[in-house]
Amino acid sequence: FPSRWEEVKDASWAPAAAEVPPLIPEGGRCDIERVDASDLAPERFKKELQWVPGEVDAVLGFERPGSGDPSLLSRLREELLFGTRLDQELPGLGSAADAPSVDRVVLAALRLRGGERAALALLTGRFDENAAGSSLLPAEAALRRHLGREMRMAPPDAATERVRAVAFLDGETLAYGDVGAVERSIELHKAGGEGSAPANPALRSLLEEAEAGSHAWGLLLPAWLGFKAPGDDPALPSPGVGRSLAAIQWVTLSAKVSSGVELHISTRTQRDDEARVLADALRAFLASFRLNPDAAAEVRQALQVSSVGDDDATVSLSLPLSAGALGRIRRNEASRRLLTWRLGAEERARRERVG
């Protein structure tokens, strides 16, 4: 993304020599500048993203294809939610998003102003308000108002004590998620998007790159991936896997749906040598499945034509998936390892150093 990055960086984001400027400061957060959000969001998801708080750790978006098999998008969404672990944040979302009346879905994992974790989904389409609310929350949901907007709130989750809510932001956009996230989205709606994700130039650039021409797209930031920098090993001439993982600045993914799915994943590191280390680890990870005789033929075929590259501190993966291959990897743990960079290479490197 160097060209797009050059358009949006300013003096405070200037890179050190031979390094990529970090998207987020120390602590894993991306603080939002006070920028007017009007006309800033990527065009196709403009409305939804203006109501996503800027304090995001991960964002995914999905749009129903005008042609092609909509069930493939549903299947892809299920796998991406599972792979990124966002399925754990928004229970029941999949069945609601599959409704024929839903055109677009945007999901975000974020931190509220008090620092607590929260999740938010925005669904755009043609809804019956009562039916849409009841499909996501139990019948005993209570009514409450925030800034004049009516919300329905479920009882606290028995396992996590998290309270989830739904609210209509307008006649065709439903907000669903943790009550604090829904309230924050209502506040952004009232404020015209000031403080939203597109109001940050660096985030906006990455969101534009991810969603351009895609039916499914995503942006994962270091705070969501959760890698910590290990101590430097002076005996190693090049960065180890652990340090390279901790150097990840962002991961973007995009997919187009037709008779199959064309999935592309890009991972940005701070330096070229870190990208080379991660690209080698990714090739080894994919080869372990490609050479597995017990793997499904459709999956092996997809891996045969996949490609991994590294250039300009970026690791790229192109993975074409047929409908058959996508059907064989349903909620597969390998998807989660791939999308969160838990490839096992760090553990192998640690064992080799000990040995």
Side-chain angles (χ1 to χ4, degrees), residues 169 173 348:
L169 301 180
T173 306
R348 286 194 299 273

Side-chain angles (χ1 to χ4, degrees), residues 3-53:
S3 60
R4 183 73 68 175
W5 183 270
E6 291 296 328
E7 294 173 13
V8 301
K9 72 173 185 175
D10 57 25
S12 64
W13 294 93
E19 291 191 359
V20 176
L23 174 65
I24 59 177
E26 186 176 355
R29 302 306 309 280
C30 193
D31 296 328
I32 298 303
E33 302 175 14
R34 291 284 182 174
V35 178
D36 185 357
S38 300
D39 299 324
L40 291 183
E43 191 62 34
R44 287 163 52 240
F45 290 83
K46 179 175 180 178
K47 179 170 68 174
E48 296 89 351
L49 286 171
Q50 287 189 87
W51 300 335
V52 171

Side-chain angles (χ1 to χ4, degrees), residues 241-242 245 281-282 337 341-350:
V241 176
L245 289 170
L282 180 56
R337 293 174 62 191
W341 276 98
R342 265 62 181 185
L343 308 183
E346 184 179 8
E347 290 76 10
R348 286 194 299 273
R350 190 181 300 115

Side-chain angles (χ1 to χ4, degrees), residues 153-325:
M153 295 173 50
D157 185 274
T160 65
E161 299 186 351
R162 293 167 74 168
V163 177
R164 294 182 174 88
V166 298
F168 272 87
L169 301 180
D170 60 20
E172 60 177 19
T173 306
L174 173 71
Y176 162 61
D178 292 291
V179 62
V182 174
E183 289 176 341
R184 185 78 181 96
S185 191
I186 292 172
E187 293 165 8
L188 289 172
H189 181 264
K190 292 289 186 180
E194 181 179 345
S196 66
N200 180 305
L203 271 178
R204 183 173 73 251
S205 170
L206 294 175
L207 291 168
E208 288 173 346
E209 293 283 0
E211 72 90 32
S214 302
H215 298 113
W217 55 269
L219 170 63
L220 309 178
L221 296 177
W224 184 250
L225 296 171
F227 293 113
K228 298 183 186 294
D232 287 335
D233 187 343
L236 295 176
S238 60
V241 176
R243 200 182 90 191
S244 299
L245 289 170
I248 291 176
Q249 299 291 282
W250 65 77
V251 176
T252 60
L253 54 96
S254 61
K256 295 182 179 180
V257 176
S258 56
S259 59
V261 171
E262 292 283 341
L263 176 63
H264 300 274
I265 303 175
S266 293
T267 302
R268 185 76 161 206
T269 59
Q270 292 179 358
R271 302 199 316 248
D272 289 347
D273 55 354
E274 294 157 343
R276 285 194 293 270
V277 169
L278 293 185
D280 287 343
L282 180 56
R283 292 185 186 102
F285 176 77
L286 296 175
S288 69
F289 293 95
R290 186 170 58 246
L291 301 176
N292 180 3
D294 296 326
E298 299 95 333
V299 175
R300 290 204 309 273
Q301 182 178 8
L303 294 173
Q304 289 287 352
V305 295
S306 67
S307 63
V308 176
D310 63 274
D311 182 58
D312 194 24
T314 301
V315 182
S316 59
L317 168 64
S318 176
L319 181 61
L321 294 165
S322 66

Side-chain angles (χ1 to χ4, degrees), residues 113-181:
R113 288 166 175 163
E116 63 268 30
R117 187 184 73 185
L120 174 71
L122 297 171
L123 295 83
T124 298
R126 302 160 303 284
F127 298 103
D128 176 276
E129 293 195 16
N130 292 327
S134 61
S135 69
L136 290 165
L137 298 182
E140 61 270 25
L143 292 179
R144 172 177 152 186
R145 299 189 76 83
H146 183 67
L147 298 181
R149 187 75 58 181
E150 186 177 276
M151 297 192 307
R152 294 184 60 189
M153 295 173 50
D157 185 274
T160 65
E161 299 186 351
R162 293 167 74 168
V163 177
R164 294 182 174 88
V166 298
F168 272 87
L169 301 180
D170 60 20
E172 60 177 19
T173 306
L174 173 71
Y176 162 61
D178 292 291
V179 62

